[in-house]
Amino acid sequence: HSFAWPEIGVSNFSLSNMEMLKRSQEFLSQGKVLKKVYWRGLLSQNPLRLDFFNQVKENKNFDVLDTSMAQFKSMQDIGEYSVLVDLPGQGFSGRLKHIIFSGRPVVVYPRAQWDWASLQLEPGIHYILSMPSIDHLKFSCEIALDNPQIQNFFSNKWKEARNLLEKDTLHAALSSRINSCD
């Protein structure tokens, strides 16, 4: 999922990421960014997802739903929301390295498995890493939602991420890992 993700309709993430950033900037310039925290996915993929959903389902500041309850929003359009969440699923996050290009703060719940591309990104620099607690995840989202300084800090982190996640950089990182094996 570093270069394409056909299952969600993305054949080229480089182009898709730039389109996401463009759409996010349009939402911002038109004053159409919703002051809400956003997440969509399958609740059944990880018990933490259901726990998070149950924690925030009555909270008007959160738009968190199972994709069986609501349509999956195109990744290009998620910049319509002020804060984005990345939750563990069945393993590493396929979307973290891309939703950084939304120009919005991304709050990430820690996971046991990280893919080699996401490991290029730094917590506290490119995204907000919550403690391994659903309460803390919710709290981190609320802080990001209500703090313009946090939103401004993360709004341009996509520039650094772009350099870290370019195809040539990722190929070099992968090659280096392979060459270091015995």
Side-chain angles (χ1 to χ4, degrees):
H1 298 150
S2 294
F3 308 119
W5 195 349
E7 294 84 359
I8 65 168
V10 176
S11 59
N12 181 322
F13 258 124
S14 184
L15 295 175
S16 179
N17 290 345
M18 289 301 108
E19 179 62 27
M20 182 187 328
L21 180 62
K22 179 182 169 195
R23 294 278 299 137
S24 293
Q25 290 171 336
E26 288 171 6
F27 286 125
L28 189 61
S29 68
Q30 297 168 1
K32 293 183 178 180
V33 177
L34 301 173
K35 188 176 178 183
K36 288 188 175 216
V37 176
Y38 176 82
W39 180 84
R40 289 288 187 281
L42 291 172
L43 296 178
S44 62
Q45 283 190 339
N46 191 304
L48 291 166
R49 291 176 171 200
L50 183 58
D51 291 347
F52 183 61
F53 171 77
N54 287 330
Q55 177 85 352
V56 302
K57 66 183 174 187
E58 303 294 326
N59 190 318
K60 65 178 178 46
N61 292 323
F62 286 78
D63 188 346
V64 174
L65 292 172
D66 188 291
T67 50
S68 67
M69 299 174 191
Q71 189 165 3
F72 190 81
K73 184 177 281 288
S74 166
M75 284 185 48
Q76 284 82 8
D77 292 329
I78 62 176
E80 180 181 16
Y81 292 85
S82 297
V83 177
L84 307 175
V85 175
D86 187 58
L87 288 163
Q90 296 176 324
F92 69 87
S93 172
R95 71 184 95 180
L96 172 58
K97 58 197 156 283
H98 305 292
I99 61 177
I100 296 291
F101 288 85
S102 67
R104 305 290 181 261
V106 178
V107 182
V108 177
Y109 191 93
R111 61 208 65 218
Q113 300 167 331
W114 294 86
D115 67 293
W116 56 278
S118 294
L119 284 172
Q120 308 302 310
L121 302 172
E122 282 189 65
I125 301 297
H126 300 107
Y127 60 88
I128 300 163
L129 184 63
S130 82
M131 300 298 292
S133 152
I134 294 300
D135 289 332
H136 192 264
L137 175 62
K138 179 181 177 270
F139 175 75
S140 298
C141 291
E142 291 170 333
I143 293 293
L145 189 63
D146 292 330
N147 190 314
Q149 289 84 7
I150 290 174
Q151 293 173 15
N152 289 336
F153 178 82
F154 288 100
S155 68
N156 287 313
K157 291 304 172 178
W158 66 269
K159 293 175 186 176
E160 292 173 19
R162 180 179 59 191
N163 294 332
L164 294 170
L165 299 174
E166 286 181 342
K167 218 177 221 186
D168 291 342
T169 306
L170 294 175
H171 283 149
L174 183 59
S175 177
S176 174
R177 302 277 171 154
I178 291 170
N179 287 334
S180 69
C181 294
D182 289 334

